[in-house]
Amino acid sequence: MTRKLLTMLCAVRSLNGCGDLANDQEKTNFDSHTQKVLERLAEASNDGASGILRITYGGNVLVESGFGSASCTDDEIVTAAHVFMIGSITKEFTRVLGFVLEARGAFSLNDTVSRLLDDFEGPIGQVTLQELMDHTGGLPDTIDRNGRPVAYTVEYDYEPVSRDELIARAELAELIAEPGDKKQYSNLGYQLLAAIYEIATDQTYPELLRRYIYAPAEIRDTDFWFSDTQQRSFADGCRANNEHWGNPIDDSMWGERGPSWNLVGAGGLLSTASSLGNFFEGVGAGVYFDNPEQEQKYKASRMLFS
């Protein structure tokens, strides 16, 4: 069985603003359900699963418990201090950021790729940002240097690809479906979104995240790189038969300050469970939108295409 390291998050938002469970019966029910979840996670850890269970209520942390090992070679207990690669959860950060930037006038999500990227040629140019977000643009998932679809591999994530090179590859790519026809998962779409955000705002994608995503929700432990990176504990990824896959920092899987553009916008963020919890709690609490209509637009789109 393939061994996996997972960050597991359960965030519960209080409806009445109170940080405590309402009564003894509610607490008893909560304790009973939590115990069942912990038992299931203990079983899963025997099969190689690892991660953090975090439950919050009314802004208070009720449970934050690690399970499994943080390494496939050593018996290193997972703790709340461990930093995980959060994989494609990165896409939700990119998604929220797109709606925030639209609200601030950087672009419209109805704008096409060719309108926002000067001199962009090729079929992908007709696709809108909203279609990129919703995986309905008809784009292939991953492509090679000639724009041809390729099967995803872990090694693909760490190929040294720059932003401009990613855009050049996308210009060569053909659509595999008409825009809007169907949902087709695409990492390429989110790689392009991150590139467009940078060009439209003249700010880097990490800078945009820090300003518009991390700051409003007081997120301190999510990023591509930390000032104290070398002092942090990173959870390792493992493949089948406990084969060491590693983590991007300890195993030098990307450059000094961040990943290849194959991951930017699509899957490269690092985070602790508590910091990831702040993001989702911030989404639920509405900290990202001053305009209620924009918040509803985000939530409607997210529900429709989840």
Side-chain angles (χ1 to χ4, degrees), residues 4 6 17 47 88-89 101 106 110 118 132 150-151 172 180-181 185 208 212-213 224 237 240 242 255 268 275 278:
K4 300 178 180 178
L6 306 173
D47 292 327
S88 284
I89 297 174
L101 292 176
N110 292 323
D118 291 341
L132 294 180
V150 293
L172 299 174
D181 274 3
Y185 192 85
L208 291 168
Y212 296 117
I213 301 298
F224 294 114
N242 290 346
S275 189
N278 284 356

Side-chain angles (χ1 to χ4, degrees), residues 205-217:
Y205 176 77
E207 288 170 344
L208 291 168
L209 287 177
R210 291 173 195 137
R211 181 174 183 180
Y212 296 117
I213 301 298
Y214 304 158

Side-chain angles (χ1 to χ4, degrees), residues 39-157:
E39 290 172 358
R40 291 289 298 274
L41 293 180
E43 294 175 4
S45 68
N46 291 331
D47 292 327
S50 301
I52 301 286
L53 172 68
R54 175 182 166 87
I55 303 175
T56 66
Y57 186 91
N60 289 342
V61 179
L62 303 184
V63 176
E64 190 168 62
S65 176
F67 60 93
S69 175
S71 171
C72 54
T73 56
D74 302 311
D75 188 16
E76 179 183 349
I77 297 174
V78 175
T79 70
H82 274 98
V83 178
F84 290 80
M85 291 185 67
I86 67 171
S88 284
I89 297 174
T90 300
K91 292 182 176 69
E92 193 61 24
F93 283 74
T94 303
R95 185 180 186 84
V96 175
L97 180 58
F99 281 89
V100 171
L101 292 176
E102 181 184 49
R104 293 178 173 274
F107 44 65
S108 165
L109 294 180
N110 292 323
D111 286 339
T112 61
V113 171
S114 61
R115 184 162 192 262
L116 294 169
L117 297 180
D118 291 341
D119 302 321
F120 186 96
E121 299 179 356
I124 288 177
Q126 65 182 295
V127 179
T128 68
L129 270 62
Q130 189 70 64
E131 289 167 336
L132 294 180
M133 281 188 178
D134 297 337
H135 297 288
T136 59
L139 277 69
D141 182 16
T142 56
I143 57 174
D144 64 17
R145 67 181 60 191
N146 297 309
R148 294 184 297 237
V150 293
Y152 171 79
T153 64
V154 172
E155 289 75 19
Y156 168 87
D157 286 338

